[in-house]
Amino acid sequence: MHIITKIAPRYAHLETFAASMPQIFEHEGEVIYRGRNLIKTMTAPDGTLVNVKRYHQPSGPNRLIYSWGLRESKGSRAFRYPAILAAKDIGTPDAIALVEERNSLGLLCYSYLITVQSPYPYTLYAMGDAKEGEYEALAEALGRFAAHLHEQEVLHKDFTPGNILWSHDADGYHFALVDINRMAFGPVSPKTGLATLCRLWGPKTFVRLTVESYAQARDYDVATAVQYVMERRARFWRRYGKKHTIKFKLEL
C-alpha cells in the first residue's frame, strides 16, 4: 500500500503523525460518528485535539474517476476548501492534512481528512425540541450567517442541522460549517439561497424567523421568501417522513 500525504504548511510539524494515520486509526481515538464514513477525535503529538474522518473506499466507476483525477475526491475538496472559506470570513475547522491510501495499481482506497476539532459545542439538531423563547435570537443570527455565506458566493449544498455548528458568548452567536466537500462557488441568487433553508430542524417559527432574517439581510421581499421556503419545507418533510422517522415534532 502506498501512502500519499498532503499537509497544510502551518501544520508541517504534524506530518509524521498524519502519515501514520492508516496504521493508528483503527486502535486510537474516540468514535464520534459511525456510518458510511467513520469519524474519530484524537490528540495530536503537539496537544491539538483533531478530528479524523476516514472516507470509505470508492467503488465501481467512481474509484477510477477519483484515482485518475477525472474528478476531485471528496477528501481532496474538503482539504482544499477551508482556506477558501477562511479568506471569506466563513468559519470552518482548519484543515491539517489529507492522507490517501493507494494500492499497487494506484487506485484510491481509504482516505483520511485531519482537521482541528471545532470548539463549537452545538449543532442545529438542538432546535428539534426548542421552545418559544429559546431560539429567536439564534434564528435571526443564523439567517444573517446564511446571507453572508451566499453574499460571499459560497453555496453549501448540504446545509443541514448536523453540518452547522454554533456557539454563543457575550459577543453573540458564532457559526462554523463542517462536511464541506459538497460546495459550489459563484453568485448565489436569493431564491437559490433560500432553498437551502428548507431542511432545517425545529419549530416552524424558528425556520420562519431564520428566513425573515435572511431575506432582510439580502434585501429580498420577506413575505415572498417566507412563502417560498415554507412551501418547499412542507414538501421536503412530507417526502422525508414517508421513508424515515422524523425525530422532532413537525409543524407544517
Side-chain angles (χ1 to χ4, degrees), residues 85-180:
L85 298 188
K88 296 175 179 289
D89 194 28
I90 297 166
T92 195
D94 267 0
I96 295 174
L98 175 68
V99 182
E100 295 180 343
E101 291 182 288
R102 291 179 180 260
N103 66 16
S104 59
L105 298 176
L107 296 180
L108 183 64
C109 300
Y110 285 128
S111 55
Y112 305 81
L113 176 69
I114 306 171
T115 63
V116 175
Q117 177 69 10
S118 174
Y120 294 178
Y122 308 114
T123 71
L124 289 181
Y125 285 124
M127 292 299 99
D129 299 316
K131 303 295 189 296
E132 186 176 348
E134 297 177 343
Y135 56 71
E136 287 81 358
L138 172 62
E140 292 171 3
L142 177 62
R144 293 191 295 271
F145 170 71
H148 170 70
L149 184 70
H150 299 154
E151 291 286 1
Q152 291 297 312
E153 301 190 345
V154 176
L155 182 70
H156 195 319
K157 294 183 178 181
D158 198 9
F159 198 71
T160 51
N163 293 337
I164 306 166
L165 309 182
W166 62 277
S167 68
H168 181 251
D169 59 23
D171 295 324
Y173 289 90
H174 309 278
F175 299 92
L177 300 176
V178 295
D179 203 5
I180 61 172

Side-chain angles (χ1 to χ4, degrees), residues 198 225-236 238:
C198 299
V226 170
Q227 181 179 2
Y228 176 72
V229 171
M230 290 308 181
E231 288 176 354
R232 290 179 65 97
R233 173 182 176 273
R235 289 198 300 270
F236 172 81
R238 285 194 186 102

Side-chain angles (χ1 to χ4, degrees), residues 14 17-18 21 25 29-33 37-44 48-55 78 93-98 111-120 162 165 177-179:
L14 294 177
F17 167 72
M21 197 54 59
F25 186 80
E30 178 182 351
V31 175
I32 59 173
Y33 175 81
N37 304 313
L38 181 61
I39 304 176
K40 288 185 170 185
T41 57
M42 297 183 186
T43 302
T48 302
L49 184 63
V50 302
N51 180 293
V52 186
K53 182 175 185 177
R54 185 177 71 183
Y55 291 92
D94 267 0
I96 295 174
L98 175 68
S111 55
Y112 305 81
L113 176 69
I114 306 171
T115 63
V116 175
Q117 177 69 10
S118 174
Y120 294 178
L165 309 182
L177 300 176
V178 295
D179 203 5

